Amino acid sequence: MCGIFGYVGNKKAIPIVLEGLKTLEYRGYDSAGVAGISQGKTLFYKDKGKIGHLAKLLEKKRLEVEAAIAHTRWATHGKVNSLNAHPHFDAHETLAIVHNGIIENFQKLKSDLVAQGIAFVSETDSEVIAQLFAFHFQGNLKQTLLKILPLLEGSFAIAGVHRNFPKDIFVACKNSPLAIGVGESEYFVSSDVNGFLKYTNKVIFLENHEIGLIQPSGLKIYNEKGEIVAKQTESITSKIEEISKLHYPHFTLKEIYDQPESINRLFKNRFEEEFGAICLKDMGIDEETFMETSRILILACGTSWHAGSVGAYLFESLSRIPTQVEISSEFRYKNPIVMKDTLVIAISQSGETADTLAAVHELKAKGAKVIAVCNREGSELSRLSDHTLFIQAGPEIGVCSTKAFTNQVVLLSLLALHLGRMHHLSKEEGIHFIREIKKLPGLVSEVLSCADEIHVLAKKYNHFTHFFFIGRSYMYPTSLEAALKLKEMSYIHAQAYPAGELKHGPIALIDSNCPTVALFGNKHTFSKLLSNMMEIKAREGPILAFAPRGFDEVSSIVDDVFWLPDTCDEFASIPTSVALQLFSYYMALERGCDIDQPRNLAKSVTVE
Ligand code: M6R
């Protein structure tokens, strides 16, 4: 979603912020802009379209500023056009601000300012911050921020420059992340630490209600009372090399191919095979928490919710612990009941998803213990939760989640086995499951080695405009994820159902123009799924099956089969999902879609 980047230091600020914006491109955006102060004037350039377009505009202008702020906008309030793009200004252009988040009471604040004779130029909620700032400004940046921030309802990360302070950037945040990169006599401001990793891995995270004043010579952070806060500088371990496409045409394809390695990374030092045990000691969660858990509540959105839904089957089957999985945006408004001994697991690749953060805030306020399952070090979710289990997938740049999904499912499998062994699984069962799970990187590699076969299938099926995806048990959430991948990457309408539900209504849509992708990875329900296939065939629906090798009966019924390497039902989601990620990728490739940055989507959904 929207991205903020800022720079103060001795180097040329504009090229640095443009480069910084490029690293945030993957978050999804529709317009971009920069601003800085030069010779007592606020200078800015902004337009709809890509950063490359902005860079071309700036080439001609030779903009020299000492501090610069920049932004990529993902439209929420107002159309995609240059007026609505950030930065925003006050009526006299004394300052410029960029903003992530949503100011929920902007209409009221705006009409109060309009009543004072202040003219607005954009349709955005963000402009009100600039206008309000100028209205209350009496010469002091900090005092002005202390005055206006309590007036803003909603969420915000703000960076700004003021013509009276050409070397300063001011920053503030509430429920929207903002990180400050600390270099040698230079500072970077970014909504995402990846933005400045090229320059420094030293970072300060701004907490809710904190204000920062940044100059090349130093940085001061204040709390909401205006008192100085002593902040710790943290070191980030991600490396810049991890954020490269290498020889792949798309980040998404690279990330699909990363999966054997990313699963292996997660496996390192996790198995005590002779005891049938999983080792999670280093993750810092005391065994008592696990022992006392009698109920699990999983919260997440999108792909992470699908991973959580596979996790719910795993916790119930392997750990025998009742598990509820909820979409964060729905859960939050249910006035949730938090029972004693409930372990809350909040799953988020980015750790920035506003809906999940809001649900976690709600639960923390009710006294719940929250474990985050997250990919991003230093993310807001990780800082908010009692513990974080990192999925170690490495940076995921493609907007469509692939390797994060598999590592989320693998991590939940390890956790389910660990809890299972504590509660009821025998040592022999533990050994059996460890042997199976350890095969996963090899099985994923096998699937990847058959990518060409999947490409051939995509060439055959890419002209269809509606698809059903069906599966039973573990294959139902797997089909939800597969359908989401197809929608996101190829813009083809796809809907997932538990296979048994088809006959309760959706079957009305089956005909020769509506193919079904059937996921056979659950052997326990194999014969039931075969009967569902007969029902579809009776209505002339084309069927593409993804089935484990050896289940030859499938091929006599369906039109096409991709044969998957066999594993136990519990872990079949992994090879199946990888095959379906490739299917969506090739479908999108055949249709000429923007695979890494699909239209309308954002990598980190930072608004509710
Ligand atoms: O960062 P998160 O895991 O919290 O993100 C949740 C969803 O926004 C995300 O999974 C989204 O559905 C992706 N576009 C899936 O590919």
Side-chain angles (χ1 to χ4, degrees), residues 486-508:
L486 190 67
K487 281 184 269 218
E488 288 185 306
M489 287 193 210
S490 71
Y491 313 145
I492 293 172
H493 175 240
Q495 202 162 359
Y497 272 97
E501 271 293 294
L502 214 59
K503 59 185 174 293
H504 294 288
I507 202 163

Side-chain angles (χ1 to χ4, degrees), residues 301-304 347-351 353 399-401 484-485 488 605:
C301 302
T303 286
S304 297
I347 310 175
S348 171
Q349 184 285 130
S350 62
T353 300
V399 165
C400 305
S401 192
L484 178 65
K485 286 291 90 83
E488 288 185 306
V605 183

Side-chain angles (χ1 to χ4, degrees), residues 470-545:
I470 59 169
R472 285 172 178 262
S473 183
Y474 293 93
M475 289 298 115
Y476 167 52
T478 309
S479 69
L480 284 169
E481 174 56 12
L484 178 65
K485 286 291 90 83
L486 190 67
K487 281 184 269 218
E488 288 185 306
M489 287 193 210
S490 71
Y491 313 145
I492 293 172
H493 175 240
Q495 202 162 359
Y497 272 97
E501 271 293 294
L502 214 59
K503 59 185 174 293
H504 294 288
I507 202 163
L509 298 177
I510 295 286
D511 64 15
S512 59
N513 293 316
C514 181
T516 300
V517 177
L519 311 190
F520 274 90
N522 200 262
K523 283 175 251 152
H524 182 55
T525 54
F526 179 75
S527 55
K528 299 280 174 213
L529 191 56
L530 269 189
S531 310
N532 299 138
M533 294 304 99
M534 302 302 286
E535 291 154 12
I536 294 168
K537 276 296 28 147
R539 287 154 184 89
E540 296 180 8
I543 304 175
L544 165 59

Side-chain angles (χ1 to χ4, degrees), residues 25-28 50 245 248-255 397-401 488-489 491 585 588 593-599 601-603:
E25 206 166 23
Y26 77 94
R27 296 163 68 95
K50 296 284 177 185
K245 272 198 280 213
Y248 292 93
H250 296 98
F251 276 108
T252 306
L253 190 63
K254 173 189 175 271
E255 286 156 10
I397 307 298
V399 165
C400 305
S401 192
E488 288 185 306
M489 287 193 210
Y491 313 145
Y585 175 83
C593 300
D594 185 354
I595 299 178
D596 281 343
Q597 289 171 34
R599 68 183 181 208
L601 298 188
K603 183 71 182 163

Side-chain angles (χ1 to χ4, degrees), residues 410-425:
V410 170
L411 191 136
L412 294 172
S413 310
L414 295 174
L415 198 54
L417 281 175
H418 185 61
L419 282 162
R421 281 289 280 126
M422 281 179 141
H423 289 267
H424 80 105
L425 278 182

